[in-house]
Amino acid sequence: MRFIVTPLAMRAGRLGASLVTCLATYLVLASPLHAQSAADPLATAIESAWQRATAAAEAGGLAARAQAEQEAARRWSAGSPALELAARDDRWHRGQGEREREVGVAWPLWLPGQRAAAGAAADAAGASADAQLRAARLRLAGEVREAYWTAAAAAAERAAVQAQNDVLQRLAADVERRVASGDLARTDQLAAQGEWLASQVQAAQAADTLAAAQSHWQQLTGLPLPLIDAVAQPRPPFDEDRHPALLLAQAAVAQARARLTLARQSRRQAPELAVGARQEIPGRGEPSQGSVQLRVRVPLGTAEGAREIASTQGDLDVAEAALRPLRERLRAEAALAQAALASAAAQRALEAQRAAQLRERARLIERSFAAGESALAELLRALAAAGEAEAAHLRQQARFGAAQARLMTVSGVLP
């Protein structure tokens, strides 16, 4: 049985062209030629997200606090000076004109070794603040990368569903014309329209998912969603000794040790040195007498010092306990991310091969249909299979990009 080549064959050819056009449009938009002009759009997005994040303000506050502690440790006194004023008068009991006035300034002094310990603690606090900043930026970078590739996957899904919807829409229109001309039954028209309506529902759901992903990106970065091609990149070297998470844990241990040393050097309150002047009038008509005072106040030991030592010792124990298993955890996460990336790369290659084969099959069947050797239903099934293969390839491209981003984050790489 042979089919007569009619305008229906031309319409079927346009069905295949519409599918190829929809998918090709997404592929062109996702190519590096249409990417943002910035060398690394994700780096720009991460920087924008950092400026909007509360972690940036927290890191800035920690750095300012550490700088203030360093400046305090460089002073020659252990604290701020105090003004001392005193007055004595006998007008309310003896009334002989005796008066006495004192004025002076008192400075707290450093205990032996306390100033050096305070300087070391301030330096450790500064190093910890810097490590916390890098660790917070790495966490935010991971969040931005994840948000981008989630949106990219949603965009690929929507492109695939929209392409399939276009195919089914044109199919429903062709079937309706063939029913009107008496070539097909009414049941075929209802089936084609039902498939098209179901595809419209899927397209609406995919659009909602993409809108939610884009909204999350916008709230996170304040920027429009860039277009980035998921090309294979060199795998970042994993250096656990320079990983921000490990550096933060090490800085926490160093800070706890410095604070413990400072607490041990500060068992007692700071002694005070006071310098003042005294004026005394023994009685009415008698000349005033002046003198200069030099006073030293040395507090005895208190229980607060022992409590501070116990508290800082507990902080040190916790910091050391958190550091011990961290290297093993970072190595395990890096190995898992590398395995996931290798699997994603293999799946991407398979999906690309499958999509190419099904595209070639659809072209061959289209030629056969144009020659009257294949049925329309067979051509439409081939076009649908090719469309689904292209969609799977696009989704796997996004998964591959997400796997690369996770490996970058786990490896502690910042753009």
Side-chain angles (χ1 to χ4, degrees), residues 42-384:
L42 277 182
T44 303
I46 291 170
E47 181 61 29
S48 178
W50 177 254
Q51 298 299 327
R52 298 161 60 91
T54 57
E58 294 175 356
L62 291 174
R65 180 179 177 181
Q67 184 177 2
E69 292 178 356
Q70 290 172 347
E71 293 177 354
R74 287 194 291 266
R75 298 195 195 102
W76 69 271
S77 63
S80 301
L83 178 64
E84 295 182 342
L85 297 174
R88 186 172 65 86
D89 199 320
D90 70 341
R91 70 175 64 183
W92 302 110
H93 55 289
R94 296 178 59 186
Q96 296 181 358
E98 294 183 5
R99 293 192 303 273
E100 187 177 300
R101 302 289 186 269
E102 292 184 10
V103 60
V105 179
W107 292 271
L109 303 178
W110 294 107
L111 292 169
Q114 187 183 27
R115 184 178 184 182
D123 293 340
S128 178
D130 183 67
Q132 290 188 49
L133 184 146
R134 291 185 59 83
R137 285 184 68 95
L138 179 63
R139 288 192 296 268
L140 183 63
E143 187 177 353
V144 171
R145 289 163 174 161
E146 191 71 23
Y148 173 77
W149 289 111
T150 298
E157 185 69 23
R158 185 180 183 279
V161 173
Q162 187 60 47
Q164 190 71 6
N165 179 72
D166 293 342
V167 170
L168 293 175
Q169 181 182 8
R170 296 180 186 275
L171 172 61
D174 283 340
V175 171
E176 183 178 359
R177 285 190 289 268
R178 292 190 65 182
V179 170
S181 64
D183 293 339
L184 295 175
R186 171 67 175 167
T187 55
D188 294 331
Q189 180 182 1
L190 294 176
Q193 290 180 344
E195 291 295 326
W196 178 39
L197 292 174
S199 177
Q200 288 180 350
V201 173
Q202 294 179 353
Q205 293 174 347
D208 291 341
T209 302
L210 176 58
Q214 289 176 333
S215 176
H216 176 62
W217 171 270
Q218 180 73 25
Q219 294 175 10
L220 185 62
T221 65
L223 299 175
L225 188 69
L227 298 173
I228 303 173
D229 192 21
V231 297
Q233 300 176 0
R235 294 189 181 184
F238 177 66
D239 186 358
E240 62 185 38
D241 292 330
R242 302 185 63 181
H243 196 286
L246 183 64
L247 295 177
L248 176 58
Q250 292 174 341
V253 171
Q255 185 180 15
R257 287 175 178 167
R259 289 180 61 241
L260 178 59
T261 302
L262 177 60
R264 288 171 176 170
Q265 295 293 335
S266 306
R267 291 176 180 271
R268 295 182 288 107
Q269 294 181 0
E272 290 183 354
L273 172 64
V275 178
R278 178 179 181 181
Q279 183 185 38
E280 181 180 1
I281 300 178
R284 293 186 182 91
E286 297 185 15
S288 63
Q289 300 176 0
S291 62
V292 176
Q293 291 184 335
L294 181 63
R295 180 168 51 86
V296 177
R297 178 175 173 269
V298 181
L300 301 178
T302 60
E304 285 76 8
R307 285 196 293 266
E308 182 66 19
I309 291 174
S311 176
T312 52
Q313 181 65 58
D315 293 341
L316 177 59
D317 294 341
V318 171
E320 290 178 340
L323 177 62
R324 293 188 193 102
L326 185 57
R327 290 181 183 272
E328 288 75 11
R329 182 171 65 83
L330 292 177
R331 291 171 187 167
E333 290 179 353
L336 183 61
Q338 289 174 356
L341 177 59
S343 176
Q347 293 180 48
R348 184 181 67 156
L350 293 174
E351 291 290 357
Q353 183 180 1
R354 174 172 171 263
Q357 291 176 351
L358 290 179
R359 281 197 304 268
E360 179 65 20
R361 177 175 177 270
R363 282 194 293 267
L364 293 175
I365 294 178
E366 184 178 357
R367 294 173 186 172
S368 176
F369 177 79
E373 299 175 354
S374 299
L376 175 62
E378 185 179 0
L379 172 59
L380 295 176
R381 285 194 297 269
L383 291 174

